[in-house]
Amino acid sequence: MHAKQSPPADALPSARGGHKYQAVRSYLAALVQTELRVGDAIPSERALCERFGVSRMTVRQAVDALVGEGVLVREQGRGTFVAPQRMDFEMRLTTFGEEMRRRGMRPETRVLGMGTVAASAEAADALGTEPGAPLHHLRRVRYADGSPMSIEQHWVSVALVPDLLAAGHPPSMHDALRAVGLDPSWGEETLTAAEATDEEAALLDLRGTRAVLRATRRTFSADTPAMYSNACYRGDRYSVWVPLSAPAPALVPRLREHDDEREAVAATVHDGRTG
């Protein structure tokens, strides 16, 4: 078995006739693919400047491009490192555990709190109950292969599922709902970009960035709003993936009888004006 070798500079696209930073960018991208691992530091700016005969500004432009693509991550005061692979956040009704297992990763949970709370106006509206009504509440951090990925909160009406938390926190909220005949069948979700709070940054071990993706979801079983949830995902580990399709042809409604009459009158007036 041969050891991996750094790609030679002369084997990469030339900077002549194009942007100089492209050669540096291609070199770093190849280095990530062939030699470096997640968490490894990239070569210093000085070393890259000497290797390619370019300015520090050019090197920074190349690094900026890879940081923007999620290939590298900057940590203030430490340097620039190979970033963990981003995961697509596909818009579908699934659970964190199901998604991580589908990707071959080990899901884990740390419960931050659970119990019964009075429904806020927002939660009451989402669940179709009255403000102040008792709700089960569960807050937890979700991990994949030991790394914190998201902070989740769930609310379920006590009247709908009285014993939801009687045996402790359910490993899967969807399975807990299915167990009482409330199969999650559809949902609606809103996504927003935000900055993590101090507590969220600490729980998610955010260092180089505080960008997070917030998701608010209502999960339905048939016509029943069964669960209200919100989640805070690490912005450096998630990107949103949404399937798109070509729009269907626009439907032109048929004219009603009185519309037909108006069209005929308009035509007559028009013809009369133009002779």
Side-chain angles (χ1 to χ4, degrees), residues 80 94 103 118:
T80 304
T94 186
R103 299 168 191 273

Side-chain angles (χ1 to χ4, degrees), residues 22-268:
Q22 289 177 344
V24 184
R25 180 193 172 284
S26 296
Y27 170 75
L28 290 173
L31 202 61
V32 169
Q33 290 291 325
T34 61
E35 183 174 334
L36 300 180
R37 297 183 178 182
V38 172
D40 285 350
I42 64 170
S44 67
E45 287 186 358
R46 183 180 209 177
L48 291 170
C49 289
E50 291 176 356
R51 185 182 184 99
F52 290 91
V54 296
S55 67
R56 288 200 171 194
M57 184 177 294
T58 298
V59 168
R60 286 171 188 166
Q61 187 178 8
V63 173
D64 285 345
L66 292 173
V67 169
E69 294 169 19
V71 176
L72 302 176
V73 60
R74 281 197 180 94
E75 294 189 10
Q76 190 171 3
R78 295 189 66 232
T80 304
F81 305 86
V82 179
Q85 182 181 1
R86 282 180 180 263
M87 289 180 287
D88 60 286
F89 186 87
E90 188 174 347
M91 304 297 289
R92 58 185 177 183
L93 191 63
T94 186
T95 67
F96 177 87
E98 291 168 347
E99 279 298 301
M100 294 307 104
R101 282 187 285 269
R102 184 175 70 86
R103 299 168 191 273
M105 304 177 79
R106 183 184 74 258
E108 295 176 296
T109 300
R110 173 189 167 196
V111 175
L112 299 175
M114 66 177 184
T116 303
V117 298
S120 65
E122 181 180 357
D125 181 62
L127 293 171
T129 188
E130 294 295 323
L135 303 180
H136 297 297
H137 177 234
L138 174 63
R139 186 169 184 250
R140 54 192 180 173
V141 181
R142 309 306 300 271
Y143 296 79
D145 287 347
S147 296
M149 303 295 288
S150 68
I151 304 167
E152 295 179 348
Q153 293 192 86
H154 306 282
W155 293 266
V156 176
S157 172
V158 171
L160 190 65
V161 191
D163 299 324
L164 179 67
L165 303 179
H169 82 277
S172 166
M173 293 295 285
H174 279 199
D175 286 348
L177 292 174
R178 291 187 187 103
V180 294
L182 294 169
D183 289 16
S185 53
W186 67 284
E188 55 186 20
E189 190 159 71
T190 302
L191 300 175
T192 55
E195 183 174 329
T197 64
D198 290 343
E199 182 196 22
E200 290 169 339
L203 290 172
L204 294 175
D205 194 25
L206 295 178
R207 297 177 184 177
T209 176
R210 295 185 67 147
V212 293
L213 183 68
R214 298 194 189 280
T216 301
R217 175 185 292 188
R218 283 205 301 170
T219 301
F220 288 80
S221 176
D223 294 330
T224 302
M227 182 166 62
Y228 176 56
S229 311
N230 66 43
C232 174
Y233 296 92
R234 292 180 59 147
D236 61 345
R237 296 299 303 272
Y238 281 90
S239 58
V240 179
W241 183 85
V242 182
L244 302 175
S245 59
L251 296 177
V252 180
R254 295 179 61 185
L255 294 174
R256 294 169 295 181
E257 289 185 7
H258 58 273
D259 290 331
D260 290 335
E261 294 171 1
R262 280 201 294 267
E263 289 289 329
V265 170
T268 301

